[in-house]
Amino acid sequence: MEVIKGIHTSVNVEDIKVSADCGSCELLSVTRLPRYTRGIKEESSAVKLGFAGTQCPSHIYVGFTRYVVFPFNAPPPCGYCSLRLGHLAVNYNSPLRCLVCSGPHPKDECTTEQGNDS
């Protein structure tokens, strides 16, 4: 999977798939990546591309615009129980950690000054 950046959110992914010129590579899938602003999911200007085979182009053309193709790096999983990378709740048996003070309690039970503000 690869990514191109800077495609305006008004451009439909189907239009990208139809009008993309990838040279000798075959474009199989096009998906717009989300971004989160204050916890609200929005469309971003980044688009994930799937190519046939192991070779991918260094750039593609969408319409008359040239876009550099970057490798897609998926974000590492982060558990909500321990707040540590790779520690998922399914496999985790240790006590919860607070999002505010990292203490061994849920955020709702936090007694620190920051925890009482919300």
Side-chain angles (χ1 to χ4, degrees):
M1 293 293 200
E2 315 314 307
V3 175
I4 56 175
K5 302 174 184 175
I7 297 209
H8 195 272
T9 55
S10 65
V11 179
N12 189 344
V13 291
E14 287 302 317
D15 294 340
I16 296 169
K17 191 171 184 178
V18 170
S19 65
D21 178 11
C22 306
S24 61
C25 297
E26 181 185 357
L27 182 62
L28 298 177
S29 64
V30 178
T31 309
R32 189 168 295 275
L33 295 173
R35 74 176 193 173
Y36 295 88
T37 305
R38 296 185 181 141
I40 299 171
K41 187 176 179 180
E42 301 174 341
E43 288 188 341
S44 72
S45 63
V47 176
K48 184 169 65 169
L49 307 172
F51 293 99
T54 57
Q55 294 286 357
C56 68
S58 61
H59 64 276
I60 68 169
Y61 289 93
V62 178
F64 295 106
T65 306
R66 181 180 187 259
Y67 294 96
V68 176
V69 177
F70 298 97
F72 175 68
N73 298 318
C78 180
Y80 291 105
C81 293
S82 67
L83 304 179
R84 295 180 181 165
L85 295 178
H87 291 223
L88 301 178
V90 174
N91 305 332
Y92 202 73
N93 297 326
S94 295
L96 296 174
R97 285 190 176 213
C98 177
L99 292 168
V100 177
C101 68
S102 298
H105 55 267
K107 180 183 174 186
D108 299 339
E109 298 174 9
C110 188
T111 58
T112 63
E113 209 171 285
Q114 293 174 342
N116 291 332
D117 290 344
S118 55

